[in-house]
Amino acid sequence: MSSSNRFKFDFLASKPKAIQRSVSNHLVYTIGKDPFTATDHDWMMAFCHVVRDRLIERWMETQRSYYRNDAKRVYYLSMEFLIGRSLTNSLLNMDIHDACSSALHRLGIELERLRNLEHDAALGNGGLGRLAACFLDSMATLDLPGIGYGIRFEYGMFRQRIENGQQVEHPENWLAHGNPWEFPRPEVAYKVRFGGRVLEYQGPNGRRQFDWIEGDLVLAQAYDTPIPGYKNDTVNNLRLWSAKAHQAFDLSCFNMGEYSSAVEEKTLSENISKVLYPDDSSSQNRELRLKQQYFFVCASLKDILRRFFSDHNDIHELPERVAIQLNDTHPAIAIPELMRVLIDKYHLEWQLAWEITTKIFSYTNHTLLPEALESWPVELLGRLLPRHLQLIYEINRRFLLMVANLHPGDTERQRRLSVIDEQDGRRVRMAHLAIIGSHKVNGVSALHSGLLKSSTFHDFDEFYPNKIINITNGITPRRWLYQANRPLSALICEAIGDAWVRDLNQLEALIPLADDSSFQERFAAAKLVNKQRLAELVKFHLGQQIDPHTLFDVQVKRIHEYKRQLLNLMRVIAHYNRLLDAPDAEVVPRTYIFGGKAAPGYFMAKLIIRLINDVADVIDNDQAVNKRLKVLFIPNYDVTTAADIIPAAELSQQISTAGMEASGTGNMKLALNGSLTMGTLDGANVEIRDQVGAENIFIFGLTTDQVKQRCQQGYHPRYHFESEPLLRRVVEMIGNGFFSPEEPERYKPLVESLLDRDHFMVMADFQAYLECSDRADAIYRQPEIWNQMAILNTAQMGYFSSDRTIQEYAQQIWQIAPIQR
Ligand SMILES: *Cc1c(COP(=O)(O)O)cnc(C)c1O
């Protein structure tokens, strides 16, 4: 096609007047309301349609350019995409924010009010799902042909309410009022099979062939969500699959009068995409979970092959056109699935099929916690996916032969490396499958990748040198600074221009301003505006008073023992005791802010939430201290609350037991927003220290090596209890019901865990943590120094842009390049 023939859009007008007209039109013709009866929600939906019109045309043009360029695409397969709201993101990325704001104003509507009516797309638990969302943003911003594939959960992450101090989970029916950002594609639907049996037959050339037949079929239907890049007219695609019954009603049942069993079957198959599993860092061995995994993997691979064959005909070229990234092992069943398609459908020889498969796949490991490493019982996998189990056995057989060749007689090594765990019932280790079937495996921080190579996957690293690499996580500066923190963004733009939004290293131009007292003052003023805004939100939503002139000391993330919210809370109690003992003591007035969800079945995590709220109550009711000390638990931590809290934070608590947090990304969001990190040498904290300078971060506690040493030598938490009076007093208060007088035994499980096991070394790090906290206080009393440190944090966080992360994936793993248009 010659370029003059090419269908080109004149992008829809983005002048306020034209936008105003479009909003009015959509209100009437799309929503079916007139301005007199329209609710705020109607206006919001009408307005979103105006925005999405402008996305659609850029989106279609982008997709055409990928076809024109015969672009190699990367497919990001992830069970979770934690996107949050899309409205502001779209407005700012398409550069129509101000025009829209004034268009709405002319209609008598404030953009801010509409913004708050949008539901979060909360199709993820925490860090892993949010990483996927940041990656989509960066791929679009870098003009990379990246496509996300996942599940369109009808119910996303549960909504957390705090009732009587305890977490209560409420279903999140985010689609109930319609989702303006999605496009249903009823014509894009694939059959997904479960169960059945494997038929063996003689192929035309006398070869043994296999066919997977019978069983139950479910339809996977596509829904597309446009993903705009930052001011580059690129709009990529996120394709999510929804389960539909294959045949709405089985007519034979119907005729026999079994209407309800026909309906039942339909509901059963549609259950697959009903709800997200709300477990972070632990694996659920539920049949439905495995079904979800295969469901979206199978549909995605069919879609990838359809797209490939729409303009290619030689399957051998597949690895030149397709790269597939597995976000953790959740989609790792894709490896035997592609083998099945290549061998059973395209009749390739094993060796060739395996070469193609391993060239296409790569795998990101997100955790070393043993409880999070997925393994499926052989029985379950064989029952749902009989052909895949055969293929997994064959992959494993060939792999172990190679291992045996290299290490003859070393059966212990074979046992360690095997895909099949023979220990407690036979199980398929998905991480082993993912490593063997990928050409690259990456960890998510320097420390984590090092540990992968030296411990968890040491044998694999020996067997496949250079396969395991590091690519440190990042966050998108668009959402986490440019959008979330308008006051600071404006200040930065005024000082150094706006190039940093797409090239975060440019923030280094702020370094010389760190000791400029007028810049310091304006930096602090922006922080104060954010703190005041958060205080207003807290007042409005929770009816609680927080003082913007106190130090905002923040720990927001999933509640998990390894993240040690309990350690933070014990510090709070120690500070409280200080004030009890010396009521006139000069202390830095503080607001401790906690936020985070616990997995519904995680007893200890829920107990920690309850203790936070009990401690908050006791302190609130203590007139002697409550002007200088405040504890607040902000419920329902999600992307939207994160964007409200993070810009207002001054201290960022990143205090996981060393060696347990793979990377963390909350740490990056906070430091980028000028919050000083108080943390252990864990995950990406190590690299944050390297970037911002050891003098601009508060590091304390055992290192990974010291934690390991203590474990080996035999760790005795009671020793700390006996020898550290401050610690002893805190633990006793928790244990004797000081914070739960109506039920003194309430926190016995926490105290027993601390004294008897303390797997997370809370007791060992307590003293160092208190001392570190005092160091921070001393500096907070010197605002010039504190502000200087905060500025130097923002200025030196450029490395943690997910743009840098994605460029590394593109070069080192995917071998893809930006598409110039
Ligand atoms: C960034 C983010 C996380 C991850 O936080 P960590 O501190 O890295 O565990 C979790 N949840 C939400 C909503 C986030 O935005």
Side-chain angles (χ1 to χ4, degrees), residues 171-194:
E172 177 61 306
N173 192 354
W174 70 297
L175 296 169
H177 300 286
N179 171 9
W181 307 116
E182 70 178 9
F183 293 81
R185 305 289 191 205
E187 76 284 8
V188 184
Y190 301 101
K191 287 180 225 164
V192 180
R193 186 185 307 277
F194 293 100

mmCIF file of all heavy atoms in Angstrom, residues 171-194:
data_model
loop_
_atom_site.group_PDB
_atom_site.id
_atom_site.type_symbol
_atom_site.label_atom_id
_atom_site.label_comp_id
_atom_site.label_asym_id
_atom_site.label_seq_id
_atom_site.Cartn_x
_atom_site.Cartn_y
_atom_site.Cartn_z
ATOM 1 N N PRO A 171 -17.450 -7.862 48.389
ATOM 2 C CA PRO A 171 -17.193 -8.090 46.959
ATOM 3 C C PRO A 171 -17.101 -6.782 46.189
ATOM 4 O O PRO A 171 -17.809 -5.818 46.502
ATOM 5 C CB PRO A 171 -18.406 -8.908 46.499
ATOM 6 C CG PRO A 171 -19.425 -8.768 47.562
ATOM 7 C CD PRO A 171 -18.724 -8.434 48.837
ATOM 8 N N GLU A 172 -16.229 -6.747 45.204
ATOM 9 C CA GLU A 172 -16.031 -5.544 44.408
ATOM 10 C C GLU A 172 -16.611 -5.773 43.013
ATOM 11 O O GLU A 172 -15.957 -6.327 42.138
ATOM 12 C CB GLU A 172 -14.533 -5.233 44.331
ATOM 13 C CG GLU A 172 -14.162 -4.045 43.462
ATOM 14 C CD GLU A 172 -14.766 -2.740 43.935
ATOM 15 O OE1 GLU A 172 -15.992 -2.662 44.103
ATOM 16 O OE2 GLU A 172 -13.986 -1.787 44.129
ATOM 17 N N ASN A 173 -17.863 -5.363 42.838
ATOM 18 C CA ASN A 173 -18.536 -5.572 41.555
ATOM 19 C C ASN A 173 -18.284 -4.356 40.664
ATOM 20 O O ASN A 173 -19.169 -3.572 40.379
ATOM 21 C CB ASN A 173 -20.030 -5.782 41.806
ATOM 22 C CG ASN A 173 -20.745 -6.299 40.583
ATOM 23 O OD1 ASN A 173 -20.151 -6.402 39.509
ATOM 24 N ND2 ASN A 173 -22.011 -6.610 40.716
ATOM 25 N N TRP A 174 -17.051 -4.269 40.176
ATOM 26 C CA TRP A 174 -16.620 -3.037 39.509
ATOM 27 C C TRP A 174 -17.281 -2.823 38.161
ATOM 28 O O TRP A 174 -17.245 -1.728 37.622
ATOM 29 C CB TRP A 174 -15.096 -3.047 39.363
ATOM 30 C CG TRP A 174 -14.575 -4.043 38.364
ATOM 31 C CD1 TRP A 174 -14.692 -5.396 38.417
ATOM 32 C CD2 TRP A 174 -13.857 -3.751 37.168
ATOM 33 N NE1 TRP A 174 -14.080 -5.980 37.344
ATOM 34 C CE2 TRP A 174 -13.556 -4.987 36.556
ATOM 35 C CE3 TRP A 174 -13.415 -2.573 36.563
ATOM 36 C CZ2 TRP A 174 -12.854 -5.080 35.352
ATOM 37 C CZ3 TRP A 174 -12.713 -2.671 35.359
ATOM 38 C CH2 TRP A 174 -12.442 -3.909 34.773
ATOM 39 N N LEU A 175 -17.893 -3.875 37.601
ATOM 40 C CA LEU A 175 -18.508 -3.736 36.281
ATOM 41 C C LEU A 175 -19.993 -3.397 36.353
ATOM 42 O O LEU A 175 -20.633 -3.169 35.325
ATOM 43 C CB LEU A 175 -18.328 -5.039 35.492
ATOM 44 C CG LEU A 175 -16.869 -5.394 35.187
ATOM 45 C CD1 LEU A 175 -16.770 -6.824 34.660
ATOM 46 C CD2 LEU A 175 -16.285 -4.407 34.183
ATOM 47 N N ALA A 176 -20.533 -3.352 37.583
ATOM 48 C CA ALA A 176 -21.983 -3.228 37.743
ATOM 49 C C ALA A 176 -22.553 -2.023 37.003
ATOM 50 O O ALA A 176 -23.634 -2.103 36.422
ATOM 51 C CB ALA A 176 -22.335 -3.153 39.224
ATOM 52 N N HIS A 177 -21.829 -0.915 37.009
ATOM 53 C CA HIS A 177 -22.370 0.285 36.359
ATOM 54 C C HIS A 177 -21.751 0.543 34.999
ATOM 55 O O HIS A 177 -21.793 1.658 34.480
ATOM 56 C CB HIS A 177 -22.190 1.498 37.279
ATOM 57 C CG HIS A 177 -22.881 1.330 38.588
ATOM 58 N ND1 HIS A 177 -24.244 1.424 38.731
ATOM 59 C CD2 HIS A 177 -22.407 1.007 39.820
ATOM 60 C CE1 HIS A 177 -24.589 1.185 39.994
ATOM 61 N NE2 HIS A 177 -23.482 0.937 40.676
ATOM 62 N N GLY A 178 -21.170 -0.511 34.427
ATOM 63 C CA GLY A 178 -20.580 -0.377 33.104
ATOM 64 C C GLY A 178 -19.146 0.095 33.177
ATOM 65 O O GLY A 178 -18.779 0.851 34.082
ATOM 66 N N ASN A 179 -18.325 -0.400 32.256
ATOM 67 C CA ASN A 179 -16.924 -0.002 32.203
ATOM 68 C C ASN A 179 -16.682 0.691 30.877
ATOM 69 O O ASN A 179 -16.633 0.051 29.836
ATOM 70 C CB ASN A 179 -16.046 -1.250 32.351
ATOM 71 C CG ASN A 179 -14.581 -0.952 32.084
ATOM 72 O OD1 ASN A 179 -14.185 0.206 31.956
ATOM 73 N ND2 ASN A 179 -13.788 -2.003 31.993
ATOM 74 N N PRO A 180 -16.547 2.020 30.892
ATOM 75 C CA PRO A 180 -16.457 2.753 29.631
ATOM 76 C C PRO A 180 -15.167 2.476 28.860
ATOM 77 O O PRO A 180 -15.075 2.827 27.689
ATOM 78 C CB PRO A 180 -16.512 4.210 30.075
ATOM 79 C CG PRO A 180 -16.045 4.213 31.486
ATOM 80 C CD PRO A 180 -16.470 2.896 32.068
ATOM 81 N N TRP A 181 -14.178 1.874 29.493
ATOM 82 C CA TRP A 181 -12.881 1.715 28.835
ATOM 83 C C TRP A 181 -12.754 0.400 28.076
ATOM 84 O O TRP A 181 -11.759 0.150 27.427
ATOM 85 C CB TRP A 181 -11.736 1.824 29.853
ATOM 86 C CG TRP A 181 -11.835 3.068 30.662
ATOM 87 C CD1 TRP A 181 -12.043 3.149 32.000
ATOM 88 C CD2 TRP A 181 -11.784 4.419 30.172
ATOM 89 N NE1 TRP A 181 -12.122 4.463 32.388
ATOM 90 C CE2 TRP A 181 -11.964 5.258 31.280
ATOM 91 C CE3 TRP A 181 -11.623 4.991 28.910
ATOM 92 C CZ2 TRP A 181 -11.978 6.654 31.175
ATOM 93 C CZ3 TRP A 181 -11.632 6.370 28.799
ATOM 94 C CH2 TRP A 181 -11.806 7.186 29.919
ATOM 95 N N GLU A 182 -13.744 -0.482 28.181
ATOM 96 C CA GLU A 182 -13.571 -1.783 27.532
ATOM 97 C C GLU A 182 -14.434 -1.900 26.283
ATOM 98 O O GLU A 182 -15.508 -1.318 26.184
ATOM 99 C CB GLU A 182 -13.893 -2.928 28.495
ATOM 100 C CG GLU A 182 -15.360 -3.038 28.827
ATOM 101 C CD GLU A 182 -15.686 -4.207 29.748
ATOM 102 O OE1 GLU A 182 -14.760 -4.852 30.268
ATOM 103 O OE2 GLU A 182 -16.885 -4.469 29.934
ATOM 104 N N PHE A 183 -13.921 -2.658 25.323
ATOM 105 C CA PHE A 183 -14.640 -2.956 24.099
ATOM 106 C C PHE A 183 -14.859 -4.460 24.016
ATOM 107 O O PHE A 183 -13.887 -5.199 23.846
ATOM 108 C CB PHE A 183 -13.839 -2.492 22.879
ATOM 109 C CG PHE A 183 -13.701 -1.002 22.798
ATOM 110 C CD1 PHE A 183 -12.744 -0.341 23.558
ATOM 111 C CD2 PHE A 183 -14.538 -0.261 21.984
ATOM 112 C CE1 PHE A 183 -12.624 1.043 23.504
ATOM 113 C CE2 PHE A 183 -14.422 1.129 21.912
ATOM 114 C CZ PHE A 183 -13.465 1.784 22.674
ATOM 115 N N PRO A 184 -16.098 -4.917 24.144
ATOM 116 C CA PRO A 184 -16.352 -6.356 24.000
ATOM 117 C C PRO A 184 -16.106 -6.760 22.553
ATOM 118 O O PRO A 184 -16.445 -6.002 21.630
ATOM 119 C CB PRO A 184 -17.831 -6.504 24.347
ATOM 120 C CG PRO A 184 -18.299 -5.174 24.815
ATOM 121 C CD PRO A 184 -17.321 -4.139 24.361
ATOM 122 N N ARG A 185 -15.491 -7.897 22.372
ATOM 123 C CA ARG A 185 -15.245 -8.407 21.013
ATOM 124 C C ARG A 185 -15.897 -9.772 20.873
ATOM 125 O O ARG A 185 -15.198 -10.791 20.910
ATOM 126 C CB ARG A 185 -13.739 -8.556 20.767
ATOM 127 C CG ARG A 185 -12.900 -7.328 21.005
ATOM 128 C CD ARG A 185 -13.150 -6.295 19.960
ATOM 129 N NE ARG A 185 -12.173 -5.206 20.027
ATOM 130 C CZ ARG A 185 -12.425 -3.989 19.573
ATOM 131 N NH1 ARG A 185 -13.596 -3.702 19.024
ATOM 132 N NH2 ARG A 185 -11.495 -3.066 19.660
ATOM 133 N N PRO A 186 -17.220 -9.805 20.726
ATOM 134 C CA PRO A 186 -17.893 -11.107 20.690
ATOM 135 C C PRO A 186 -17.394 -11.980 19.542
ATOM 136 O O PRO A 186 -17.474 -13.209 19.619
ATOM 137 C CB PRO A 186 -19.366 -10.743 20.521
ATOM 138 C CG PRO A 186 -19.436 -9.284 20.294
ATOM 139 C CD PRO A 186 -18.125 -8.668 20.622
ATOM 140 N N GLU A 187 -16.841 -11.348 18.501
ATOM 141 C CA GLU A 187 -16.358 -12.144 17.361
ATOM 142 C C GLU A 187 -15.003 -12.770 17.652
ATOM 143 O O GLU A 187 -14.555 -13.659 16.933
ATOM 144 C CB GLU A 187 -16.315 -11.283 16.093
ATOM 145 C CG GLU A 187 -15.151 -10.292 15.990
ATOM 146 C CD GLU A 187 -15.295 -9.047 16.868
ATOM 147 O OE1 GLU A 187 -16.231 -8.971 17.694
ATOM 148 O OE2 GLU A 187 -14.435 -8.138 16.732
ATOM 149 N N VAL A 188 -14.322 -12.318 18.683
ATOM 150 C CA VAL A 188 -13.045 -12.923 19.064
ATOM 151 C C VAL A 188 -13.300 -13.829 20.261
ATOM 152 O O VAL A 188 -13.350 -13.381 21.407
ATOM 153 C CB VAL A 188 -11.983 -11.863 19.420
ATOM 154 C CG1 VAL A 188 -10.645 -12.544 19.722
ATOM 155 C CG2 VAL A 188 -11.830 -10.849 18.296
ATOM 156 N N ALA A 189 -13.531 -15.089 19.972
ATOM 157 C CA ALA A 189 -13.843 -16.043 21.044
ATOM 158 C C ALA A 189 -13.224 -17.379 20.681
ATOM 159 O O ALA A 189 -13.250 -17.792 19.518
ATOM 160 C CB ALA A 189 -15.354 -16.172 21.215
ATOM 161 N N TYR A 190 -12.626 -18.008 21.656
ATOM 162 C CA TYR A 190 -11.965 -19.293 21.412
ATOM 163 C C TYR A 190 -12.483 -20.342 22.379
ATOM 164 O O TYR A 190 -12.826 -20.034 23.515
ATOM 165 C CB TYR A 190 -10.450 -19.157 21.590
ATOM 166 C CG TYR A 190 -9.821 -18.150 20.665
ATOM 167 C CD1 TYR A 190 -9.493 -16.876 21.117
ATOM 168 C CD2 TYR A 190 -9.581 -18.472 19.321
ATOM 169 C CE1 TYR A 190 -8.915 -15.943 20.272
ATOM 170 C CE2 TYR A 190 -9.008 -17.545 18.467
ATOM 171 C CZ TYR A 190 -8.678 -16.270 18.948
ATOM 172 O OH TYR A 190 -8.123 -15.349 18.103
ATOM 173 N N LYS A 191 -12.481 -21.586 21.901
ATOM 174 C CA LYS A 191 -12.883 -22.700 22.764
ATOM 175 C C LYS A 191 -11.706 -23.131 23.619
ATOM 176 O O LYS A 191 -10.574 -23.247 23.134
ATOM 177 C CB LYS A 191 -13.318 -23.890 21.907
ATOM 178 C CG LYS A 191 -14.665 -23.697 21.242
ATOM 179 C CD LYS A 191 -15.013 -24.925 20.414
ATOM 180 C CE LYS A 191 -15.533 -24.463 19.065
ATOM 181 N NZ LYS A 191 -15.556 -25.536 18.062
ATOM 182 N N VAL A 192 -11.963 -23.369 24.870
ATOM 183 C CA VAL A 192 -10.938 -23.861 25.793
ATOM 184 C C VAL A 192 -11.455 -25.174 26.378
ATOM 185 O O VAL A 192 -12.581 -25.243 26.861
ATOM 186 C CB VAL A 192 -10.676 -22.850 26.923
ATOM 187 C CG1 VAL A 192 -9.606 -23.376 27.870
ATOM 188 C CG2 VAL A 192 -10.264 -21.493 26.342
ATOM 189 N N ARG A 193 -10.584 -26.207 26.301
ATOM 190 C CA ARG A 193 -11.027 -27.544 26.726
ATOM 191 C C ARG A 193 -10.493 -27.897 28.112
ATOM 192 O O ARG A 193 -9.369 -27.506 28.476
ATOM 193 C CB ARG A 193 -10.499 -28.573 25.709
ATOM 194 C CG ARG A 193 -10.986 -30.003 25.909
ATOM 195 C CD ARG A 193 -10.306 -30.972 24.923
ATOM 196 N NE ARG A 193 -10.435 -30.525 23.536
ATOM 197 C CZ ARG A 193 -11.498 -30.738 22.764
ATOM 198 N NH1 ARG A 193 -12.520 -31.433 23.229
ATOM 199 N NH2 ARG A 193 -11.537 -30.278 21.532
ATOM 200 N N PHE A 194 -11.294 -28.602 28.869
ATOM 201 C CA PHE A 194 -10.839 -29.160 30.144
ATOM 202 C C PHE A 194 -11.239 -30.619 30.225
ATOM 203 O O PHE A 194 -12.329 -30.988 29.768
ATOM 204 C CB PHE A 194 -11.469 -28.412 31.324
ATOM 205 C CG PHE A 194 -11.002 -26.993 31.452
ATOM 206 C CD1 PHE A 194 -11.779 -25.943 30.983
ATOM 207 C CD2 PHE A 194 -9.770 -26.700 32.024
ATOM 208 C CE1 PHE A 194 -11.349 -24.631 31.091
ATOM 209 C CE2 PHE A 194 -9.330 -25.391 32.143
ATOM 210 C CZ PHE A 194 -10.120 -24.360 31.664
#
